[in-house]
Amino acid sequence: MKRIFTSETVGKAEETVKVAGWIHARRDMGKIMFFDLRDKDGLLQIVGVPADLGEEGTKIAETLRPEWVVEIEGVVQKRGERQINNKIPTGTVELLAKKITVLNEAKTPPFELDKDTSAVGEDVRLKYRYLDLRSERMATNIRNRNKVFQAMRQFLSDKDFIEIETPQLTKGTPEGSREFIVPSRLHPENFYVLPQAPQQFKQLLMTSGVERYFQMAKCFRDEDQRGDRQPEFTQMDLEMSFVQEEDVIGLIEEMMIKVVENNYPEKKIQQKPFPRMSYAEAMEKYGNDRPDLREDKDDPNLLAFCWVVDFPFFEKDDNGGPSTGSGQSWTFTHNPFSAAKPEFESDLLEKKNVENIIAPQFDIILNGFEVGGGSIRNHKPELLKAALEIMGFEGEQIEAQFGTMLQAFEYGAPPHGGLALGMDRIMAILQNEPNIREVIAFPKDGSARDLMMDAPSALSEKALSEANIEIKK
Ligand code: ASP
């Protein structure tokens, strides 16, 4: 007999079926045993009666403990009116067990999996993440994450976007953060870096004539762990050609509304179209550039999106520049590749009035969190060069770090722009979770460690020497 999922038992009353999964809980009522069997779809009540199980079957049933893996054949029965359980999808039926096969036994888990695990110490949950993910809340989080990703992929495919994977082993692009470096075994003394974002590649894809690109992209940033950050995280990264700010904003707004309304019908978007304000207005009115506009901050189903637009292109940099550390005084606020608004283009070219240059850069804010941002880019090499020079990059540095882009733009780059959405943050808000670790299957802890796999960890002498690495004691 072919195994079916628990959810498929509904509507199969009187049929003999086979289900499989984990023993979630057991309740003994005298001679009758009740089990909750859990599979990917949720729970199904199993009834074990000695008369149906026989002597041997009853013995097996008596040994079953939580988290044992079993296969059960039996007859689906409609539950009586008063036995219906609306809390589970299979609540109108139960399975009268005829045959139980134990596929694997289980030790007692380090924490209870039939309850919400949020109160359990996070170190234990992260060490045993594969168990934590069995709990209902965590399983729902990762399943709903997939649904949102699929909905976005579908929406974008319908609009002619194609998903393209860009390299993970690559060369750095400044995105305002430190990069993870990967030593090259084949090219001693040389390094790859992991991308902070696919920025250069997506712009090069516009130069390639792709016109509409997106990617559910892994991004890596080697930052000190401030607050709720992860060293690797996921962005919905997008770029499109022959567009203006309005086109990118309009597209993303349409997508977010559609995804929320289809996937989270219980949620309410406070204002449509999303309100917009300039960076200057946001700072003046709210004192920050990610205002929380929710009218009722206690309503878990209220989503207040807004756009903050017209960001200044440059800001003073106290640390001495994005990558050179040479004490230059201007850095980018968003992205070194942004354009200037048309009225500021001549200022950009002449490198004057720098502090007032406004860029077509925009952030999307949700309930007080910046959940994404993007811009229209400089597609003319001379404008890109001027922006880089304002930020203190000089001749050879420009060549070394941005040479490919500048060269590519000399071969007919279309005007283009795009953005990236922080998918982990968006999912945390949609799932009403307090931090992004709750919506990532295998996150790092607050100090960037993977407690389950024990990473980072030391390497053998052999591995180090092959990678041409000597450890400084
Ligand atoms: N690459 C930018 C980021 O990661 C987003 C963008 O401008 O498209 O923040």
Side-chain angles (χ1 to χ4, degrees):
M1 201 184 312
K2 201 168 164 275
R3 175 243 179 165
I4 64 167
F5 299 120
T6 56
S7 60
E8 295 174 281
T9 56
V10 180
K12 283 201 165 36
E14 312 308 329
E15 287 181 40
T16 298
V17 300
K18 179 156 92 184
V19 290
W22 290 259
I23 299 291
H24 185 70
R26 68 175 292 159
R27 295 174 295 278
D28 293 344
M29 306 281 214
K31 280 207 171 329
I32 306 182
M33 295 168 273
F34 290 95
F35 302 98
D36 286 331
L37 180 80
R38 187 185 69 238
D39 71 0
K40 70 170 181 55
D41 294 346
L43 303 178
L44 171 68
Q45 176 158 285
I46 311 287
V47 189
V49 187
D52 288 289
L53 285 169
E55 203 176 316
E56 196 151 321
T58 305
K59 260 193 208 148
I60 294 174
E62 277 165 359
T63 62
L64 298 183
R65 293 285 168 271
E67 302 311 317
W68 284 29
V69 187
V70 294
E71 201 172 73
I72 302 177
E73 283 177 41
V75 179
V76 181
Q77 295 182 328
K78 266 208 176 104
R79 295 202 202 189
E81 203 63 50
R82 289 177 49 214
Q83 271 75 47
I84 288 179
N85 177 358
N86 290 320
K87 288 193 196 117
I88 58 172
T90 62
T92 53
V93 294
E94 61 190 12
L95 187 74
L96 182 64
K98 299 277 183 188
K99 185 176 169 208
I100 300 177
T101 312
V102 175
L103 302 177
N104 213 348
E105 297 181 8
K107 294 210 280 191
T108 304
F111 47 90
E112 291 176 301
L113 304 180
D114 60 345
K115 301 197 170 57
D116 188 332
T117 59
S118 5
V120 176
E122 200 182 20
D123 280 7
V124 187
R125 288 180 55 208
L126 288 175
K127 182 163 164 35
Y128 295 95
R129 189 60 155 193
Y130 48 91
L131 295 181
D132 195 19
L133 294 178
R134 288 187 193 170
S135 68
E136 188 187 351
R137 182 178 56 91
M138 293 303 289
T140 305
N141 284 352
I142 53 170
R143 284 179 182 280
N144 286 355
R145 179 181 174 116
N146 169 64
K147 284 184 188 155
V148 167
F149 277 47
Q150 291 306 337
M152 287 187 175
R153 285 194 160 107
Q154 192 59 54
F155 175 89
L156 293 169
S157 301
D158 291 346
K159 301 261 184 208
D160 274 351
F161 283 79
I162 59 170
E163 184 163 18
I164 299 179
E165 296 151 276
T166 53
Q168 303 286 46
L169 294 178
T170 180
K171 183 172 175 137
T173 300
E175 291 269 350
S177 195
R178 197 181 295 118
E179 283 147 341
F180 281 100
I181 57 180
V182 182
S184 160
R185 178 180 62 82
L186 295 176
H187 303 278
E189 294 175 42
N190 287 285
F191 300 86
Y192 300 99
V193 307
L194 302 182
Q196 297 188 45
Q199 187 68 33
Q200 294 207 49
F201 288 103
K202 69 172 170 175
Q203 291 195 244
L204 291 169
L205 285 170
M206 296 304 105
T207 311
S208 309
V210 164
E211 293 200 37
R212 295 188 158 210
Y213 142 95
F214 82 101
Q215 180 181 194
M216 293 302 185
K218 265 298 176 80
C219 303
F220 305 86
R221 298 186 187 177
D222 188 5
E223 292 172 292
D224 293 328
Q225 294 301 298
R226 279 180 288 132
D228 187 16
R229 299 249 180 130
Q230 286 281 307
E232 64 177 294
F233 55 95
T234 306
Q235 289 190 341
M236 195 292 290
D237 190 50
L238 174 141
E239 199 75 11
M240 52 204 299
S241 295
F242 305 104
V243 288
Q244 286 164 355
E245 222 178 328
E246 193 52 49
D247 301 300
V248 184
I249 288 180
L251 175 90
I252 297 304
E253 189 160 324
E254 188 188 334
M255 181 180 78
M256 289 312 299
I257 292 172
K258 200 162 179 182
V259 169
V260 168
E261 291 183 347
N262 287 342
N263 292 43
Y264 294 86
E266 72 281 12
K267 301 222 178 254
K268 183 175 168 274
I269 296 175
Q270 183 168 287
Q271 198 182 333
K272 288 186 292 193
F274 303 164
R276 287 188 205 180
M277 68 189 83
S278 70
Y279 170 80
E281 272 172 65
M283 293 307 283
E284 194 187 299
K285 240 173 126 174
Y286 303 98
N288 65 61
D289 57 3
R290 39 175 183 79
D292 186 348
L293 300 181
R294 276 176 299 172
E295 277 151 14
D296 176 1
K297 295 201 173 66
D298 296 321
D299 180 350
N301 286 328
L302 190 59
L303 298 174
F305 286 96
C306 75
W307 291 100
V308 176
V309 299
D310 293 348
F311 277 83
F313 197 150
F314 303 102
E315 64 186 356
K316 285 274 185 201
D317 179 22
D318 312 323
N319 306 323
S323 65
T324 62
S326 63
Q328 72 266 47
S329 60
W330 291 110
T331 185
F332 52 88
T333 60
H334 267 59
N335 194 313
F337 305 108
S338 293
K341 288 227 155 186
E343 59 271 35
F344 293 99
E345 232 169 60
S346 60
D347 283 348
L348 182 68
L349 265 181
E350 291 161 35
K351 295 177 228 162
K352 61 172 217 259
N353 192 27
V354 171
E355 64 275 25
N356 295 319
I357 297 178
I358 300 290
Q361 294 178 154
F362 38 85
D363 276 353
I364 179 167
I365 312 300
L366 172 55
N367 294 0
F369 290 96
E370 182 204 320
V371 292
S375 65
I376 298 301
R377 327 294 184 184
N378 266 328
H379 68 287
K380 294 200 176 133
E382 64 277 14
L383 287 167
L384 176 55
K385 209 160 167 204
L388 294 170
E389 282 166 1
I390 289 174
M391 293 180 275
F393 291 99
E394 284 158 7
E396 269 177 27
Q397 270 174 347
I398 295 187
E399 206 31 58
Q401 284 211 44
F402 306 99
T404 305
M405 289 268 274
L406 286 166
Q407 196 179 42
F409 286 1
E410 282 169 0
Y411 290 96
H416 59 281
L419 104 171
L421 297 177
M423 291 310 298
D424 306 305
R425 173 61 59 199
I426 288 176
M427 286 314 305
I429 296 171
L430 290 176
Q431 292 297 120
N432 294 320
E433 290 290 358
N435 71 61
I436 62 174
R437 297 186 294 285
E438 302 298 306
V439 294
I440 299 174
F442 298 108
K444 311 282 186 283
D445 76 352
S447 58
R449 287 172 308 168
D450 178 337
L451 296 177
M452 184 181 72
M453 299 303 277
D454 185 27
S457 54
L459 288 177
S460 70
E461 284 293 336
K462 180 164 178 279
L464 288 174
S465 112
E466 276 176 357
N468 311 297
I469 296 175
E470 250 174 53
I471 304 285
K472 227 162 71 180
K473 292 279 181 212

